[in-house]
Amino acid sequence: MKGDAVLVELCERLPVLAGEYGLYMVPAVPEDQPGRANVDGEVMTVDEFCGLARAAGARVLFHCTTTFDADDFLADAFPEDGDLDALPEPQTASARAIERVRRRARRHDGQIEGVQLCAVLDGVAVFWSRLAPWVPSLLDDAEKALEEKNDAVEQIRTSQVKDEQAEITRISRLLQDDPSFREAKDYRAQRRAADRLVPQPDEQDYEANRIRMRAIHEAVSAIEEAADAIFSEYMTKLPDLADELLASGALDGAQTIPARKIHLKDFLRKRSGGYTPPVDLITLMMELPQLRKPSSAAALPAARQTHETLFPMEQG
């Protein structure tokens, strides 16, 4: 016996000490509930337990014998699968492990799996129990098989998530690369563009519809982020953009503010790759000297200019 010298000596003296005081040693201590103690059948034989009960003055020996029910055991061990009939053929390691547990459990169906005795000794209910040798190993096999099955399920789920995200990314990229989707101004326009690029699945195909909707939302968010980044940069170089616009000739012939705004929006949309410019950017650019309306005479309709030329006294 190894351990602390004091405890080793105590364990060696206990049987002698108990004998000197006329006490019977019970290899159990009440723990879970007051007035109850459990004795492992591996520690005390059934003969020793019955001898203890008689020596302590017990008048009644309670007993219970349980038989093994394979169906109940399998249902408890694998609650998601019931009797496991719905499992696929044992092609994976987890399925083979479950099949081994199934076969072992069936072989023991109806056999005695455990015996429990109880005697009340000085007001304490002392329980003695013994399991069949095959029960602990069967429980261990079932636990290991369930762990393997859970691992396999998690691997499948992880793979499905990766495949799903790959499909979402594919659809999202397709939408982001389409000018009509990028230029869509509201939800309805986005849906029309999406329906053209990625036809809506059957209503009953919930997963496909869910993936498609996630892809649309992802594409919209990506487009908004990209547009914010592009036009935030544009805000830092407004004069350069105005010069570039004038040099392109896009404003040639545009003599009114609405017309110049239209050309400006079109210029910014094309330059940014199809993203719709924000109103603030348009407003700030239209205030630049380069983009202001030409002279009032040039901006007036031809009929008005002729009239003012014929009647100069009305000017001013």
Side-chain angles (χ1 to χ4, degrees):
M1 182 182 295
K2 298 180 180 181
D4 183 83
V6 175
L7 295 181
V8 170
E9 181 184 1
L10 175 60
C11 291
E12 293 175 346
R13 290 187 58 235
L14 274 178
V16 178
L17 189 63
E20 291 176 355
Y21 285 92
L23 300 175
Y24 294 90
M25 293 185 64
V26 181
V29 176
E31 294 179 356
D32 298 337
Q33 302 176 7
R36 177 189 176 103
N38 296 301
V39 177
D40 189 346
E42 298 291 338
V43 177
M44 175 180 282
T45 66
V46 65
D47 292 335
E48 291 172 337
F49 183 77
C50 290
L52 172 65
R54 181 182 64 183
R59 301 291 300 274
V60 178
L61 180 67
F62 301 95
H63 70 93
C64 176
T65 301
T66 57
T67 57
F68 181 72
D69 188 321
D71 289 336
D72 287 346
F73 172 77
L74 292 172
D76 292 339
F78 310 106
E80 294 182 1
D81 297 315
D83 61 1
L84 304 183
D85 289 336
L87 281 178
E89 293 298 323
Q91 297 176 349
T92 65
S94 62
R96 286 194 295 270
I98 291 175
E99 286 297 325
R100 286 196 297 271
V101 175
R102 181 206 293 271
R103 290 193 295 270
R104 285 197 60 187
R106 294 299 183 197
R107 287 199 298 268
H108 296 293
D109 190 40
Q111 295 181 5
I112 295 176
E113 65 174 340
V115 176
Q116 188 176 57
L117 305 177
C118 178
V120 180
L121 311 179
D122 289 341
V124 177
V126 181
F127 291 85
W128 178 94
S129 60
R130 183 71 180 270
L131 289 174
W134 51 266
V135 172
S137 62
L138 180 62
L139 292 174
D140 288 342
D141 286 349
E143 183 177 357
K144 292 177 182 178
L146 183 57
E147 290 178 356
E148 290 185 22
K149 176 195 170 187
N150 291 339
D151 290 342
V153 170
E154 185 61 29
Q155 291 176 6
I156 293 173
R157 183 180 294 112
T158 300
S159 177
Q160 290 175 340
V161 169
K162 289 182 179 179
D163 293 343
E164 178 180 301
Q165 186 56 50
E167 179 64 6
I168 290 173
T169 301
R170 183 190 71 80
I171 297 175
S172 176
R173 291 292 184 188
L174 180 65
L175 297 176
Q176 293 177 54
D177 293 340
D178 183 71
S180 64
F181 189 86
R182 288 199 301 269
E183 296 173 7
K185 297 180 177 59
D186 53 34
Y187 177 73
R188 290 184 178 180
Q190 292 169 352
R191 287 298 300 271
R192 287 195 299 269
D195 290 344
R196 178 177 55 82
L197 297 167
V198 186
Q200 188 170 1
D202 186 270
E203 293 182 0
Q204 303 301 322
D205 194 343
Y206 170 78
E207 290 300 322
N209 279 283
R210 183 176 61 83
I211 289 174
R212 183 175 181 273
M213 288 304 300
R214 284 189 57 188
I216 293 174
H217 290 311
E218 185 174 292
V220 171
S221 297
I223 289 172
E224 290 175 351
E225 291 178 5
D228 287 343
I230 291 173
F231 293 123
S232 294
E233 181 185 358
Y234 283 11
M235 285 288 191
T236 65
K237 49 184 181 181
L238 297 183
D240 294 338
L241 288 173
D243 292 340
E244 183 180 338
L245 171 61
L246 291 173
S248 70
L251 295 185
D252 293 350
Q255 300 300 327
T256 65
I257 291 179
R260 297 169 77 83
K261 280 187 176 181
I262 291 174
H263 288 292
L264 173 58
K265 289 180 181 179
D266 186 59
F267 166 78
L268 293 174
R269 184 181 295 110
K270 290 179 179 179
R271 193 181 192 283
S272 65
Y275 298 100
T276 302
V279 175
D280 291 347
L281 178 59
I282 300 295
T283 301
L284 290 175
M285 289 196 67
M286 290 300 298
E287 292 297 321
L288 295 173
Q290 302 97 309
L291 301 185
R292 286 177 183 171
K293 202 168 53 167
S295 64
S296 56
L300 290 173
R304 178 70 182 276
Q305 293 179 36
T306 302
H307 179 74
E308 291 183 347
T309 302
L310 293 176
F311 303 99
M313 296 300 293
E314 294 183 6
Q315 298 182 17

